[in-house]
Amino acid sequence: MNAFFERHDAKIEYGAPTGCWLWNAGADKDGYGKVSVNTITVRAHRVAYESVHGDGSATGLLVRHRCDTPACVNPEHLETGTPADNSRDMEQRGRSLKGEKSRRAKVTEDDVREIRATYVPQSREFGQYALARRFGLSRPVVGFILSRATWRHVN
């Protein structure tokens, strides 16, 4: 066992059914373990990864969880990657907050389908301004929905 795990053994719960080694000490608002290194607070999984792969092994990269468990510090569940890799993982694993999952969403996917199905250009009753009033949106937001600049995942 390396120095990080020996030093912090009491803060780690081993043997979870998923194979995760869960950090049971301080955590940030997103559930990632926190550890102090030379008076600087960093995420525990990053320190765990670098303790196994060498300091600086993740320089310029994110340390990502294959297991999607923020508290996990099992080096076998960790890998490096770019922010784009991380975003792609979120999307593929259904963890992105797009559409109705976003707390900022003002319409549902059904509303988006209805806006697209009922829109008639230059119509007073079914044009962008009318649909904006009907759904409590601004006219530009309706335009973004229609052009698929937003809600592009909705057919």
Side-chain angles (χ1 to χ4, degrees), residues 16 20 34-35 38 55 61 104 116 120 145 147:
C20 291
K34 297 187 309 185
V35 63
N38 300 328
D55 279 348
L61 297 171
R104 295 173 50 205
R116 290 177 180 156
V120 177
I145 290 170
S147 68

Side-chain angles (χ1 to χ4, degrees), residues 35-58:
V35 63
S36 291
V37 176
N38 300 328
T39 70
I40 298 171
T41 301
V42 293
R43 288 184 165 173
H45 69 281
R46 183 174 190 87
V47 178
Y49 180 88
E50 289 198 349
S51 74
V52 171
H53 297 284
D55 279 348
S57 60

